[in-house]
Amino acid sequence: MAKKIVIANQKGGVGKTTTAINLSASIAAAEFRTLLIDIDPQANSTSGLGVEDYQFSVYQTLIGIENVSDCIVNTYMPFLDILPSTIDLVGAEVELVSMDNREFLLKNALKEIEDRYDFIFIDCPPSLGLLTLNALTCADSVLIPVQCEYFALEGLGQLLNTINIVKKKLNEELAIEGVLLTMYDTRLRLSNQVVEEVKKYFGNKVFQTIVHRNVRLSEAPSHSKPVILYDASSVGAQNYISLASELIQRNNLEQKKNIN
């Protein structure tokens, strides 16, 4: 049974999609069967993995037109598949409102394929609407990226409140996988202050790995590649390799391949 991890933060620009792409790729590089679900209408995870030629998407999965198996696309990495997104998802929230069990559509759709994977990551839109709610309802845990900038904790209270509501009413197993500090700049005192503040707030839920600001990490999506394929020696690649190792250890899984 796959470990299903939602990557969520309703605040935009925190490194959510960057984390979805590069953590998925790093886990796949360790030879764990990995599925990335792009449930964000912007479809940045889809384009960031170079996936362009696909007939169906998560949209058809959610509204029940196609089986999830027929919508999954293989990537150029042997252990990494993607359930791609499309701009059609923009209108999906409106369509989902009138559907029965609307919060459980993704959970029910994934039942037929979750045994095929070790990890399933879900990249959510920067909002707390029905798409994110579907992701939280089907997930085992939530990974929260937090940028090392001035308004780092702004809006996190709302996200944590949503997680608690989902846990009480829709998914009692939902847990916080961890908090990931992103966009760390060694030159700024502010970055260190944010790290201290986030650790004070979340304690041991904060990942030891911190993702630094890195040019190669920013460039990789324009080449439709995760950073470990674009420049494996870069700081950004090493950060996400470290995060993958930490996540594997946290879940008490034996690493299948040395990815360092």
Side-chain angles (χ1 to χ4, degrees):
M1 185 75 73
K3 175 72 181 277
K4 298 182 288 295
I5 301 175
V6 169
I7 300 171
N9 190 332
Q10 82 272 20
K11 192 173 186 299
V14 300
K16 181 178 54 63
T17 296
T18 298
T19 297
I21 293 170
N22 292 295
L23 178 56
S24 298
S26 297
I27 291 284
E31 298 186 355
F32 286 94
R33 299 165 302 165
T34 306
L35 173 67
L36 174 57
I37 298 174
D38 188 355
I39 204 169
D40 185 344
Q42 296 176 87
N44 289 334
S45 280
T46 303
S47 61
L49 284 176
V51 176
E52 296 175 350
D53 186 21
Y54 54 95
Q55 186 176 5
F56 304 120
S57 71
V58 69
Y59 172 75
Q60 282 82 10
T61 299
L62 283 172
I63 64 174
I65 295 176
E66 297 291 337
N67 290 332
V68 64
S69 299
D70 298 322
C71 301
I72 290 172
V73 178
N74 303 122
T75 72
Y76 41 68
M77 292 188 72
F79 288 86
L80 180 59
D81 295 340
I82 186 168
L83 179 53
S85 181
T86 171
I87 194 66
D88 292 343
L89 267 183
V90 169
E93 299 246 6
V94 177
E95 292 182 61
L96 297 183
V97 168
S98 60
M99 297 181 75
D100 293 334
N101 296 315
R102 59 192 181 192
E103 299 92 351
F104 295 92
L105 296 173
L106 185 61
K107 180 177 182 177
N108 292 334
L110 292 181
K111 284 178 181 176
E112 68 171 272
I113 55 97
E114 53 189 8
D115 285 342
R116 300 182 199 170
Y117 297 98
D118 300 304
F119 284 95
I120 296 176
F121 294 98
I122 308 173
D123 182 22
C124 294
S127 66
L128 295 176
L130 263 176
L131 293 174
T132 300
L133 198 57
N134 260 270
L136 293 173
T137 301
C138 82
D140 298 303
S141 60
V142 188
L143 190 157
I144 307 170
V146 176
Q147 83 282 29
C148 295
E149 294 178 358
Y150 185 69
F151 292 114
L153 297 177
E154 187 182 68
L156 273 186
Q158 188 181 356
L159 175 61
L160 294 173
N161 186 50
T162 300
I163 290 170
N164 286 331
I165 291 171
V166 170
K167 191 169 182 176
K168 286 179 184 175
K169 298 187 176 182
L170 300 168
N171 180 6
E172 62 182 19
E173 303 299 322
L174 186 64
I176 294 177
E177 185 71 36
V179 176
L180 175 67
L181 289 155
T182 63
M183 303 180 188
Y184 180 82
D185 191 332
T186 53
R187 299 168 297 178
L188 300 179
R189 182 185 301 174
L190 175 63
S191 287
N192 291 315
Q193 291 172 343
V194 171
V195 170
E196 290 175 15
E197 192 174 356
V198 171
K199 285 183 175 178
K200 189 188 303 179
Y201 192 81
F202 288 101
N204 62 6
K205 286 292 183 184
V206 181
F207 285 102
Q208 292 179 8
T209 302
I210 296 176
V211 179
H212 292 65
R213 282 196 178 276
N214 179 245
V215 173
R216 307 302 264 174
L217 193 56
S218 302
E219 290 173 349
S222 66
H223 295 268
S224 302
K225 291 180 178 180
V227 71
I228 62 168
L229 294 186
Y230 178 61
D231 185 353
S233 64
S234 66
V235 171
Q238 293 304 310
N239 288 162
Y240 278 106
I241 288 169
S242 173
L243 177 63
S245 296
E246 193 174 345
L247 187 65
I248 290 165
Q249 288 167 7
R250 279 193 179 200
N251 285 278
N252 298 314
L253 296 171
E254 184 179 338
Q255 195 154 303
K256 300 182 180 182
K257 182 182 179 182
N258 189 339
I259 55 175
N260 288 303

